[in-house]
Structures are given as structure tokens and as C-alpha cells.
Amino acid sequence: MQVYFRYPERRRFLSSRIIYAIMTTSLASSRKASIDIMRGITLFLMLFVNDLYEPGVPQWMIHTKADADGMGLADWVFPGFLFMVGMSVPFAVNARIKKRSSTIFLLLHIFIRTLSLLLIGVLMLNGSSISPELTGMNRFVWILLVYLCIFLVWNHYPNNPRFKQFFRWMRWTGIAGLIFLALIYKSGTPDNPGWLITGWWGILGLIGWGYLTAAVTYLCTGEKAGAVIMVWAGFILLNILSQAGIYTMPQWWNNVFGVVSGGSVPALTLAGLIAALIIRKKKLNAMQAFWILILVGIGCLAAGFALRNWFIISKIKATPSWGMICSGISFILFALLYMLVDVMGKSRWGQPFELAGRNSLTTYLAPDIIYYLCWGLGIPLFFYKQPVNEVLAVCGSLVWATAMIFLSIGLSRWHIRLRL
């Protein structure tokens, strides 16, 4: 009987401590654990859905067709990552401000980082269209050399004075290699040859445009959430007007700035920036921030389903209904993670995701190198990609995504870590 009475007392004591922590936690400090973990989870899901063999897996896991009204798991993953890009902006900018970086230097860093993402995105996008005959190089060799040069240029080398000159030469070798590979690139046919195109900029290019809009917005507005909400609403309106055909831009503009003027990618990224400002608000305790995130998420979901009366839910078409629903999901998921990880301190389970989230570019790019090596050399690593057994197809992709998360962690320990 003595043990019976002690246990409830201890449980009530622990519960009161948790409630006290939730109600008194200050949000002024930089809380990165939940952000890194959610970024790592979205990366894991990106690797998973990108690896799925569509004819052999359940339809709800893959991208919904462009003209279909609906969405699956794969249709949320990339918007979820854009949301986390926006969430990271205030923490990254303030970290540089603490190092006494000037506004001019911050703008320069933002533009260089954006251009780097755009360049990598365009190179990855054009790899599938290369003409080996016109380029004079095997497709897989060209692509693998591009990835090698990317790692040489943007790797975060150790701060070792003995090898400083060597690392500098490695970076310049990578730059020269990218220039050479871009110059020899050819697509099309001998009668109608082509060169690099921007197209839809590729995944990393889209991230670059989203990052640019969120970072410049934050530099202009600071911690003023109301001002950011106005900018966010402006991009949502742009998305609605664009999808409704009410306004159009010249083709040359769309070829370069269409991602921004379309409104969808900036809106998804700015939603993450707003979430970050909520948890950074000094006047809010953790419980208040949690419920605000939940309510904003519910509001986004409601707006998305209301917009469905005029626009189908379609990722491929980047409709406003799809964008608002994805933002709502992201707000709610982050709120739950924030409460679990940052407030209640339950973070050990997410350490692999956290480490991968801190090394996101390597986590995303390193698997492609293995893909192209296996395809080029004919290595049957992806035997699970088949239409007969759904369990094998899905489990194979889960194992692949898990292995790539740990590969990224291992590479970072060997000082192979991309940083823009």
C-alpha cells in the first residue's frame, strides 16, 4: 500500500513540473533542436518518397497527378522543407549579427547563398537532358563530376592551418571543374543543339528563391510579425491571382523570376518565418506559442479547403489551396514537435534527424551520387523497386532513406559537410 500511494504522488509532482516548465519557458533564446529535428524528418521523407517506385507502392504515398484534386504524402514533403527553410532564417541571420556582420555583408551572404542554390539546382536539372554525343562525355560521368565539384567547392573544410592552402586549391579546382562542365554541356540534337536552361530551377533552385524572399523580408522587417504576415498575405494573393489568370508576366520574366512572382514558394517559406517569430516572441510563454501555432495551422487548413471551391488541390500546379493546406500541416506538426522536444525535453529519439537536419544539403545530395554510380556501373542495388510486392517496395525505400540519414552523419564526422 505504501508503494501504491507514493507512485501517484510522484506522478502528480512530475506533471506539475512539466506544466510549470511549459508555462514559464522563455522563448527569447534560440531553440534549434525542434527545428533541426523537423528539418531532418522532412529530409528523411524526401529521400523516402523520391526513392519510391511508383507502380509498386500505395497511391497515397506518391505525387498526385497534376489535374487531380488531392494530395498524398509526397505532395507535402517539399513544402514542409520550405517551411523549415523559413524557420531557420531568423536564427541564422541573428547568429551572423552576433558576429557583428553588417547589413551589406548579410545581403551579400544571402545573395551568394541564393546564387549557389540556383546554380546547383540548374546543373542537377539539366543532367537528365544531356546529349553524350554532343557533350563528348558519358552522361553518368558528367553528372558525377558535377557532384564531385559541388562537394569540392562548398564543403566546410576543417579549420586546420597546415592544410589551409590545400583546401583552397581543392575549392578552386571545383570551381574550374564546374565552369568546364558547364561550357562543354550540350543537349538536343546535332541539328538543334541546346545548352543549360533554367526550366523550373530544380528542387534546390526553388529552395534558393524561397530562402531569398524569406531572408530579405526578415532583414527588412526584423521581429515584426505583423509586417511579415502582410508580406505573406501578399504572396498568397499573388498565387491566387496568378492561378486565376488575372495577371500574367512576360515570358522572359517567368523564365527567371517566375518562382517568386508565382507566389507559392515564397508563401510556403514565409509561413515558416512566421512560425519562427512566434516561438521567438519574448512576451509569449511556451504554452501560448504552442496554441498560437496550432490555431494558425487550423486557420491555414480552413483557408486551403475554402480555396478548394475555386482551385483544385494540386502540387504540380502550385495552387493556393494546396499551399495553404501544406502550410497548415507544417504549423501543426512543428507545434507538436516544439512542445515535445524544446519544452518537455524529449529529444533523444530525434538525434539522428537532428544531425541530418544540421547537414541538410549533404543529406540531400549524397544519395544522388550513389544512384548514378549504381546506374552507371549496372550495380543491382535497388532490387526492391518492383511492382509486384508493395511491402518490399516500401520497406526498401524506408531502409534506403534511413541508410542515407546515417551516411550523412558519417560523412560529417569525416569533415564532408556542404555549407553555403
Side-chain angles (χ1 to χ4, degrees), residues 162-406:
R162 291 178 56 191
F163 297 99
K164 187 175 182 179
Q165 189 66 26
F166 174 68
F167 294 148
R168 184 180 291 116
W169 277 110
M170 289 179 68
R171 183 165 280 121
W172 279 109
T173 299
I175 293 172
L178 287 177
I179 294 173
F180 170 75
L181 292 167
L183 289 175
I184 68 169
Y185 176 89
K186 292 290 186 296
S187 61
T189 64
D191 296 331
N192 187 26
W195 194 55
L196 298 171
I197 61 170
T198 57
W200 56 278
W201 292 101
I203 292 294
L204 292 181
L206 297 180
I207 292 172
W209 285 119
Y211 164 77
L212 177 65
T213 54
V216 171
T217 298
Y218 182 71
L219 275 184
C220 295
T221 63
E223 300 284 324
K224 298 176 182 177
V228 178
I229 290 172
M230 290 179 64
V231 178
W232 180 42
F235 278 110
I236 294 171
L237 180 60
L238 273 179
N239 189 208
I240 292 172
L241 296 176
S242 174
Q243 290 288 319
I246 295 175
Y247 94 98
T248 57
M249 300 297 290
Q251 189 59 44
W252 67 266
W253 174 276
N254 288 330
N255 289 340
V256 181
F257 304 108
V259 175
V260 176
S261 60
S264 179
V265 167
L268 289 165
T269 315
L270 287 168
L273 175 56
I274 291 168
L277 295 182
I278 291 172
I279 66 170
R280 288 171 60 86
K281 193 74 173 176
K282 294 180 181 180
K283 295 181 180 180
L284 298 176
N285 61 42
M287 184 60 77
Q288 290 170 331
F290 169 78
W291 282 113
I292 290 174
L293 288 169
I294 292 290
L295 291 174
V296 173
I298 293 172
C300 288
L301 289 174
F305 283 108
L307 287 167
R308 193 182 188 188
N309 292 310
W310 300 277
F311 307 95
I312 64 171
I313 302 171
S314 174
K315 176 191 176 181
I316 306 301
K317 293 186 175 181
T319 59
S321 53
W322 164 77
M324 293 304 293
I325 290 172
C326 288
S327 294
I329 294 171
S330 298
F331 271 110
I332 293 171
L333 285 180
F334 177 74
L336 297 173
L337 269 176
Y338 168 73
M339 180 60 66
L340 178 66
V341 173
D342 289 329
V343 179
M344 300 178 66
K346 307 294 184 179
S347 62
R348 291 187 61 182
W349 64 271
Q351 285 181 355
F353 297 117
E354 183 177 1
L355 293 172
R358 292 177 183 173
N359 198 16
S360 57
L361 191 56
T362 308
T363 304
Y364 182 73
L365 291 183
D368 284 353
I369 298 175
I370 300 176
Y371 276 131
Y372 287 115
L373 278 173
C374 291
W375 292 337
L377 298 174
I379 301 173
L381 179 63
F382 306 103
F383 62 90
Y384 53 88
K385 293 177 179 287
Q386 43 72 45
V388 178
N389 190 324
E390 283 190 355
V391 175
L392 178 60
V394 172
C395 290
S397 293
L398 284 172
V399 171
W400 166 261
T402 303
M404 294 304 100
I405 291 292
F406 283 98

Side-chain angles (χ1 to χ4, degrees), residues 43 81 117 120 150-151 154 204 356-367 418-420:
L43 277 167
F81 188 82
L117 287 166
I120 298 172
I150 289 171
F151 275 83
W154 285 285
L204 292 181
R358 292 177 183 173
N359 198 16
S360 57
L361 191 56
T362 308
T363 304
Y364 182 73
L365 291 183
L418 296 175
R419 177 180 289 182
L420 302 182

